[in-house]
Each structure stands twice: as C-alpha cells, then as structure tokens.
Amino acid sequence: MFRVDTLKGRVAFITGGGGGIGLEIASCYARLGASVAIAGRNEERLQSGLERLRADGGDAIALRADVRNYEELKAAIDAAVAKFGGLDILVNNAAGNFHCPTAELSPNGWRTVVDIDLNGTFYGCHAAYGHLRRSRFGGSIISIITMLGLSGWPGAAHAAAAKAGILSLSRTLAVEWGGDNIRVNTISPGPIGDTEGVKRLYVDTGREDLERRKTALGRFGKKQDIANAAVFLASDLAGYVTGENMIVDGGRWLKYVAA
Ligand code: NAP
C-alpha cells in the first residue's frame, strides 16, 4: 500500500480520465493527495468520472478536450494550471482502437487512431512541457502503451504503430527533458478486465479465453494494477526512473517470446 500522502500537493492532468483505466488512475492519485484534472470529449462520461472522484473526497475538475486538437488540449492544460497553480504529472491515456485487418483499413481509420494515440500524446507533452519544468517535485510524464506495439498487432496495425511511436517519443523526451528534471515513462498493460478495450477487442470477438490463456498468470489484470504502476512512476519512489517502459501484463509479453 502507498502512504496516503504519496502524491500530496501534486497536480495531475489525465487524458481520457472520464472512465476505464484513466479514471482508476485519477481516483488513486486523488486518494493519495493529488489534485486531478480529467479530460476527454464526452461530457457525460467526464461528469460521472468527476462525481466518483469527488465522492472519494478528491480535489478534481473535468475539462472537455479532444487530444487531436492541439489548441484545445493546451487550453485545457492551461486551465488546470490556472485552477490548481501548477502541473506536476501528465498521463497520456486517451486512445482509440478497433479491430480491422490492414488490407481493409481505410486511410481515414489509420489516421484517426494515429491522431488520437500518437499525435495526441505529442500534443499533450508539448503543451505541458513549460509547466512541468517548473514543477517543484520534478515533472512526470506517463503514457499508456502496449507491448503489442513492439511485437506488432495483427488486426490493429494503426494502434500498434501509434503505441510504438509513443515509446520512441517518450525515450527521446526522457533524454531531451531530463535536464529540466522531467521524467518520461510508459506503462504497457496486458489485457485488463472490465475495460472498454478488452470488451471491444476480446469479449465481443469471442477471444476472451484465448487472450486469458496467453498470459503467464492465466488471467486478466485489474485497472488497479495499472493505477499502482502509474502512482509509482509519478511519485518520488521512482525519482531516478526515466525512459522506462513498465510492463504490467501478467507475463503475456514473456510468454509470447518464450513459447
Ligand atoms: P477506454 O475505456 O476506451 O478509455 C479511453 C478514453 O480515451 C476514454 O475516456 C475516451 O473518452 C478517451 N478518448 C478517446 N478519444 C479521445 C480524444 N480524441 N480526445 C480525448 N479523449 C479521448 O480505454 P481503456 O481500456 O481504459 O484504456 C486506457 C488506455 O490503456 C489506452 O491508452 C489503451 O490503449 C491502454 N491499454 C488498455 C488495455 C486494456 O486492456 N484495456 C490494454 C493495453 C493498453 P471520450 O470518449 O470522452 O473522449
């Protein structure tokens, strides 16, 4: 268990924080003392996320922003800074994905996913940089990717390429911005139960059991597993960790390689 003051006094901005893994991260951050801004496109999702955060006693706001729009995302980040007085943690969590064999994937479908995942992450990092470098704790950027970005992902070439791009971007920024005391890391979840991603890609397509068996632990992860990694990477506990990709996948990656 983390101490309740692990993130005390810090401000976090989480894209796609209205639901799923993003909201779990936001909720953990808030319970550990951070002020939290969640951003996304869907007002209803944001409002219900905000209610949960406030019910947990968190200091939170919700901001409408499409990560594909740099100006909109920057305005939301600036608004969070105006509200809370600074920014210490950026979590690039927003993503889009759908199953489609590459031969049938339209340029528009490709562009949409790359725009949300890769371009949205770059926009977030770029818009947050000036604030993060002024963080008294040292800035922390955490982006959520997947090891399927490294292995390749048949049926999701768009998402795989975008996630691999985020890993590369993160390692570049870890070096470029290390001198500004900004740490830049990624988390690679495996299949996480009770999420939209697993429902759409595995449950709805009848691949649930197969995907479970692909992990060394033989089960899906929990949203809390990813939130725990995101707390660690955002906190002083990871003060000397940058350029790292933390794999939280129940051994799926290793099982692929070792099989
Ligand atoms: P999710 O429930 O589908 O949540 C995605 C979030 O992104 C939503 O809150 C959505 O909110 C937001 N979003 C999508 N497009 C956006 C845009 N253009 N601008 C702003 N926000 C946008 O996803 P999840 O399953 O929790 O996954 C969260 C992250 O973990 C993603 O990066 C995903 O790739 C990664 N991941 C998940 C799994 C898994 O098992 N679930 C495994 C590996 C990696 P709005 O619709 O309101 O905009």
Side-chain angles (χ1 to χ4, degrees), residues 6-109:
T6 299
L7 298 177
K8 188 161 187 271
R10 290 170 212 237
V11 179
F13 187 98
I14 301 170
T15 68
I21 292 170
L23 179 58
E24 194 69 29
I25 294 172
S27 171
C28 278
Y29 280 6
R31 279 182 277 123
L32 297 174
S35 301
V36 176
I38 54 172
R41 296 162 305 171
N42 183 304
E43 287 281 2
E44 262 175 53
R45 204 191 326 269
L46 284 174
Q47 280 315 311
S48 89
L50 190 58
E51 276 166 31
R52 172 172 157 196
L53 295 175
R54 289 190 172 155
D56 286 349
D59 188 12
I61 54 170
L63 298 157
R64 222 209 66 81
D66 188 325
V67 298
R68 292 171 293 182
N69 182 328
Y70 179 77
E71 297 305 330
E72 210 171 285
L73 184 56
K74 185 171 186 326
I77 289 174
D78 290 346
V81 170
K83 165 78 180 163
F84 293 128
L87 182 69
D88 308 291
I89 305 159
L90 168 69
V91 181
N92 296 301
N93 164 81
N97 198 5
F98 55 92
H99 180 85
C100 185
T102 308
E104 294 161 27
L105 182 62
S106 70
N108 192 43

Side-chain angles (χ1 to χ4, degrees), residues 19-250:
I21 292 170
L23 179 58
E24 194 69 29
I25 294 172
S27 171
C28 278
Y29 280 6
R31 279 182 277 123
L32 297 174
S35 301
V36 176
I38 54 172
R41 296 162 305 171
N42 183 304
E43 287 281 2
E44 262 175 53
R45 204 191 326 269
L46 284 174
Q47 280 315 311
S48 89
L50 190 58
E51 276 166 31
R52 172 172 157 196
L53 295 175
R54 289 190 172 155
D56 286 349
D59 188 12
I61 54 170
L63 298 157
R64 222 209 66 81
D66 188 325
V67 298
R68 292 171 293 182
N69 182 328
Y70 179 77
E71 297 305 330
E72 210 171 285
L73 184 56
K74 185 171 186 326
I77 289 174
D78 290 346
V81 170
K83 165 78 180 163
F84 293 128
L87 182 69
D88 308 291
I89 305 159
L90 168 69
V91 181
N92 296 301
N93 164 81
N97 198 5
F98 55 92
H99 180 85
C100 185
T102 308
E104 294 161 27
L105 182 62
S106 70
N108 192 43
W110 169 273
R111 197 165 35 240
T112 300
V113 170
V114 171
D115 247 359
I116 300 171
D117 295 23
L118 179 56
N119 295 344
T121 297
F122 167 70
Y123 295 161
C125 294
H126 193 279
Y129 170 67
H131 302 301
L132 291 173
R133 68 197 291 249
R134 286 192 288 277
S135 165
R136 65 196 160 106
F137 302 99
S140 173
I141 298 175
I142 297 162
S143 300
I144 314 296
I145 61 167
T146 164
M147 290 302 280
L148 296 171
L150 277 78
S151 63
W153 193 353
H158 41 8
K163 297 295 195 184
I166 295 171
L167 180 67
S168 171
L169 171 67
S170 301
R171 288 179 168 165
T172 297
L173 296 184
V175 175
E176 284 196 14
W177 295 353
D180 295 308
N181 202 17
I182 298 173
R183 297 179 296 103
V184 188
N185 295 291
T186 55
I187 297 173
S188 287
I192 303 302
D194 195 24
T195 61
E196 196 45 44
V198 157
K199 181 183 172 304
R200 211 170 33 238
L201 295 172
Y202 303 145
V203 179
D204 294 352
T205 56
R207 296 165 55 92
E208 199 176 347
D209 273 345
L210 172 68
E211 294 300 331
R212 212 174 256 126
R213 274 184 276 117
K214 279 187 185 171
T215 69
L217 293 178
R219 56 181 164 82
F220 288 162
K222 299 191 288 285
K223 287 181 277 192
Q224 180 76 52
D225 295 322
I226 307 308
N228 287 341
V231 169
F232 170 71
L233 287 174
S235 75
D236 292 340
L237 296 166
Y240 203 48
V241 180
T242 194
E244 172 63 355
N245 175 38
M246 183 173 282
I247 305 171
V248 186
D249 74 343

